[in-house]
Amino acid sequence: MARTACLASLLCLAGALLALPVLGQEVFVSNERDNTVSVIDGGSLEVVRTFPVGRRPRGLTFSRDGRTLYICASDSDAVQVIDPDTGAVRHNLPSGEDPEQFALAPDDRTLFIANEENATTTVVDAQARKVLAQIDVGIEPEGMAVSPDGKLAVTTSETTNMVHWIDVATLSAFDATPVGQRPRAAAFSADGRMLWVSSEIGGTVAVIDVATRRVVETVGFGVKGIAEDRLQPVGITLTRDGRFAFVALGPSDRVAVIDAKTYRVVNYILVGRRVWQLAMTPDESRMFTTNGVSGDVTVIDLATQRPIRSVKVGRFPWGVAVRPAPAGPSGTTP
């Protein structure tokens, strides 16, 4: 009798939990050739809307509350500030020439922008809409990252083959670390101790000790049946617990899974054609990759490290960012 009552209580509790509102996600994807952003519903995994933006959109990121979308409109020479609920452009920020990628500092207002054409990093106060500094870095800057404590920023320069270190307090570059040929993306570990940098033509990922700014490990890749020159690392993302790093490998159509403790590649995940960037949901249960040539997004289940869906978006999808879905009138997601 006691067991029956206990089972009934558990079933009631399970039913109550299922009845609670579940926060969903929205996945925003920049379509480089269409000058648009596609929005994928995280539940149905279907495109629910598409809105126009500036020319050749690439990097995109959200404010911490998810209510503001920033996007690099590279050929419009602007960072656009967008209402993600409506797709309306609120205003443009001064960005320097040809903004490629950017990083929003932990203060939720300072943007560090890589300007490919004029070899600078532009620093903008997004709330005051004011340029704070333009910092000389290497030739063809591309990747940007800000450390979790907000004290350091880095820019990668594709032609100089270096990572440039910026002191956020003084807004000045103070050091540079050589890496492989054509560095593209940079990502700090969650504890801020390591910086991961992909080198597209070099075919490697450098792991840099932040304290010494020296490369402590260089990760290479090899896939049976795939030529080495097609293994081109670009986008990088890391799990918060420091267990895995995921690297988009460009025209190999693979995402590499790296054990972030041993620096060994433990898996390759087949995705769409010419994978560029990747982003995880906040709970790190799924990952979304942008596949430029096939014009789609691959959805990966991270528990199994297997693709579960391909979602068609616009032409040449490049950047991707995830935010919680907006709440409806009753406080639940629509």
Side-chain angles (χ1 to χ4, degrees), residues 37 51-54 59-63 65-73 77-95 102 104 108-109 111 113 124-130:
V37 168
F51 55 86
V53 292
L60 69 170
T61 193
F62 283 101
S63 60
D65 62 8
R67 295 179 180 177
T68 299
L69 174 67
Y70 300 97
I71 187 161
C72 282
D77 292 337
V79 168
Q80 295 187 307
V81 181
I82 293 171
D83 182 336
D85 295 335
T86 65
V89 178
R90 293 173 181 162
H91 53 266
N92 289 347
L93 293 174
S95 67
F102 52 19
L104 183 63
D108 206 29
R109 66 181 294 164
L111 276 174
I113 306 164
V124 175
D125 184 325
Q127 294 181 20
R129 307 185 197 179
K130 176 183 177 182

Side-chain angles (χ1 to χ4, degrees), residues 16 23 28 43 72 117 132 148 152 155 158 161 163 194 235 258 308:
L23 292 178
F28 285 65
C72 282
E117 294 299 322
L132 301 177
L152 295 172
T155 304
E158 294 184 46
N161 300 327
V163 176
M194 295 294 177
I258 302 170
I308 58 173

Side-chain angles (χ1 to χ4, degrees), residues 12 30 44 57-59 92 111 113 139 144 187 232 248 252 257 334:
C12 288
S30 60
S44 66
R58 303 205 92 188
N92 289 347
L111 276 174
I113 306 164
I139 301 171
M144 285 290 334
Q232 299 178 8
S252 72
V257 185

Side-chain angles (χ1 to χ4, degrees), residues 1-61:
M1 189 71 177
R3 291 181 61 187
T4 302
C6 182
L7 179 59
S9 298
L10 288 173
L11 289 174
C12 288
L13 177 60
L17 290 173
L18 288 172
L20 290 173
V22 178
L23 292 178
Q25 288 94 32
E26 288 185 329
V27 184
F28 285 65
V29 177
S30 60
N31 300 306
E32 193 175 4
R33 292 281 179 87
D34 286 343
N35 303 328
T36 61
V37 168
S38 296
V39 183
I40 300 170
D41 178 82
S44 66
L45 298 180
E46 295 180 352
V47 173
V48 291
R49 53 198 171 94
T50 300
F51 55 86
V53 292
R55 291 182 293 130
R56 192 168 163 256
R58 303 205 92 188
L60 69 170
T61 193

Side-chain angles (χ1 to χ4, degrees), residues 296-315:
D296 56 15
V297 169
T298 300
V299 186
I300 297 170
D301 176 78
L302 290 180
T304 61
Q305 295 183 2
R306 292 185 177 184
I308 58 173
R309 182 77 65 89
S310 176
V311 183
K312 198 71 175 175
V313 287
R315 293 184 301 161

